[in-house]
Amino acid sequence: MSQLKVNTIRHTGASSDAITLASDGTATAKITNNLSNRNLVVNGACIVSQRGTANTAGNQGYQTVDRYKLTWNGANNVLEQHQNGLGSGDTGPWEEGFRKSFYVRNGDQTASSPADDQVVIETRLEAQELANSGWNYTSASSKITLSFWVKSSVAQTFYGVLETQDGTGQNYPFSTGSLSANTWTKVTKTIPGHANLQFDNNANNGLQIEWHPFMGTDFTDSGVSLDTWAGAASGTRHPDMTSTWWTTDDATFELTGVQLEVGDTATDFEHRSFTDELARCQRYYYVAGKGAASDAESFANGNMYNGTQMYGFIRFPTIMRANPTLKANNGTDYYRVYGGATSDACDDITQARVSDRGFVVAVSGNLSLTQGVGTYVRCNNASSLVAFDSEL
């Protein structure tokens, strides 16, 4: 039997070894196959959008693509956010299987770019996801790698940061490099650990990944060094940046394929099924019912506590991150309760009891049915909504 005895294997054009062989017979390899459970980011491909596909009303926060939050300050016009559909013309991400993105349009800000203006896109990770990831985050020789696709309608350099939330917060600024207008670019950043990093083993916010289409000089400093950890401070997020994107009418900024994984190599993106990604998103936000009467969307069974109020129980499909907040749209005849061989329209959904596994809702408002009868409640208006929010 023949044997090949080597210490390492490396491609002729590579700068590092693909396989390292140890004297005890074990091997370390850089694998770029689509291995599961590598991506610490939820909804990195932007395929889940429980709240809707567009928000043009100027609402900040989580409004469209799940797990992506948009905030701003100093805008002359409101910013829009969308779940955008990609096509074959989106060269780069399209070939890698991406069909959706998180898309921001900035409106007309041409009149001003003061120092306290800012636009922030962020996704947040639970501290325990980092603590249990296998990353030796207090060691500079242990790495984690961030990769993403980005496109801007304006040619310029953009910045972002990773910011830890436990202990003394630490800030790691990075650059996208100079982007060409309307051209997708894949950005990869390999990030070392640091002795000052701390991630508590809990479900609270542990790490924010942020992209800054614009950030004024109140938040930046020309002396900030890129690609290194430093204490987080509001006035030194990253180097000063041009205001070109911010002052260009209806400029756009787009992200997809966001992946954070342990190791010093950006592997192929981990494409998860819609069902799997939805379940991960429902830990933070869950829609129990919404829509018009034609949808006949029932969301809770219960009984009439008295003649004018029903109690119903909603079991969550997954354990939520923490006890959620009820998000209900209430209005005249928004809901309809069925029981005792009849039904009645009603107006209000409110909180009665809450846990991270389920929720008791009180249904009332112009409701009149027989006390004690078994009931169920459904949506009865295009604007009806019963959802639960446990976002970081």
Side-chain angles (χ1 to χ4, degrees), residues 88-106:
S88 58
D90 290 287
T91 304
W94 175 265
E95 289 82 1
E96 292 191 3
F98 297 103
R99 298 297 181 264
K100 300 292 183 181
S101 69
F102 182 68
Y103 174 97
V104 176
R105 179 182 289 118
N106 82 341

Side-chain angles (χ1 to χ4, degrees), residues 61 214 225 252 293 334:
F214 179 67
S225 297
T252 60
Y334 269 31

Side-chain angles (χ1 to χ4, degrees), residues 235-258:
T236 54
R237 308 299 305 283
H238 53 67
D240 297 337
M241 64 185 299
T242 178
S243 62
T244 306
W245 184 90
W246 186 228
T247 56
T248 298
D249 189 15
D250 284 341
T252 60
F253 189 90
E254 233 170 319
L255 286 169
T256 196
V258 181

Side-chain angles (χ1 to χ4, degrees), residues 150-171:
V150 60
K151 184 173 78 168
S152 165
S153 62
V154 174
Q156 68 168 74
T157 296
F158 296 90
Y159 296 103
V161 299
L162 280 75
E163 186 173 304
T164 67
Q165 303 299 304
D166 292 326
T168 301
Q170 301 293 304
N171 183 72

Side-chain angles (χ1 to χ4, degrees), residues 291-293 328-337 344-349 363-367 378-385:
N329 290 345
N330 292 326
T332 302
D333 294 346
Y334 269 31
Y335 306 97
R336 180 168 286 274
V337 176
D344 190 26
C346 57
D347 307 340
D348 300 325
I349 305 291
V363 185
S364 60
N366 298 314
L367 176 62
R378 68 163 171 84
C379 296
N380 197 49
N381 186 282
S383 297
S384 301
L385 173 68

Side-chain angles (χ1 to χ4, degrees), residues 76-278:
N76 295 323
N77 286 269
V78 300
L79 280 76
E80 299 179 9
Q81 58 172 292
H82 301 257
Q83 182 193 47
N84 194 36
L86 303 186
S88 58
D90 290 287
T91 304
W94 175 265
E95 289 82 1
E96 292 191 3
F98 297 103
R99 298 297 181 264
K100 300 292 183 181
S101 69
F102 182 68
Y103 174 97
V104 176
R105 179 182 289 118
N106 82 341
D108 185 1
Q109 322 298 341
T110 56
S112 176
S113 58
D116 62 351
D117 285 7
Q118 61 174 324
V119 182
V120 178
I121 301 167
E122 64 181 275
T123 187
R124 297 182 173 187
L125 283 69
E126 294 178 40
Q128 63 188 356
E129 297 300 323
L130 280 301
N132 296 291
S133 66
W135 180 31
N136 185 10
Y137 48 83
T138 59
S139 170
S141 62
S142 183
K143 309 293 176 57
I144 199 165
T145 298
L146 172 69
S147 56
F148 56 90
W149 284 96
V150 60
K151 184 173 78 168
S152 165
S153 62
V154 174
Q156 68 168 74
T157 296
F158 296 90
Y159 296 103
V161 299
L162 280 75
E163 186 173 304
T164 67
Q165 303 299 304
D166 292 326
T168 301
Q170 301 293 304
N171 183 72
Y172 188 94
F174 62 85
S175 166
T176 63
S178 180
L179 302 184
S180 299
N182 300 308
T183 302
W184 282 103
T185 299
K186 187 170 185 179
V187 177
T188 299
K189 297 293 176 182
T190 298
I191 300 158
H194 191 280
N196 292 337
L197 299 188
Q198 178 178 330
F199 297 105
D200 298 338
N201 193 18
N202 60 36
N204 297 328
N205 184 14
L207 179 69
Q208 294 176 191
I209 306 173
E210 300 182 5
W211 297 263
H212 300 158
F214 179 67
M215 190 154 279
T217 54
D218 282 358
F219 312 103
T220 64
D221 189 280
S222 60
V224 173
S225 297
L226 292 173
D227 303 321
T228 187
W229 289 103
S234 62
T236 54
R237 308 299 305 283
H238 53 67
D240 297 337
M241 64 185 299
T242 178
S243 62
T244 306
W245 184 90
W246 186 228
T247 56
T248 298
D249 189 15
D250 284 341
T252 60
F253 189 90
E254 233 170 319
L255 286 169
T256 196
V258 181
Q259 181 154 287
L260 184 70
E261 58 190 310
V262 176
D264 61 2
T265 301
T267 65
D268 296 343
F269 183 83
E270 182 184 351
H271 285 280
R272 296 190 279 249
S273 71
F274 182 87
T275 301
D276 188 2
E277 207 71 86
L278 175 62

Side-chain angles (χ1 to χ4, degrees), residues 301-312 336-340 342-346 361-377:
N301 295 319
N303 69 286
M304 290 300 296
Y305 178 72
N306 53 42
T308 61
Q309 188 174 61
M310 169 198 165
Y311 283 135
R336 180 168 286 274
V337 176
Y338 290 78
T342 187
S343 69
D344 190 26
C346 57
V361 291
V363 185
S364 60
N366 298 314
L367 176 62
S368 179
L369 289 175
T370 303
Q371 181 178 0
V373 301
T375 54
Y376 74 88
V377 58

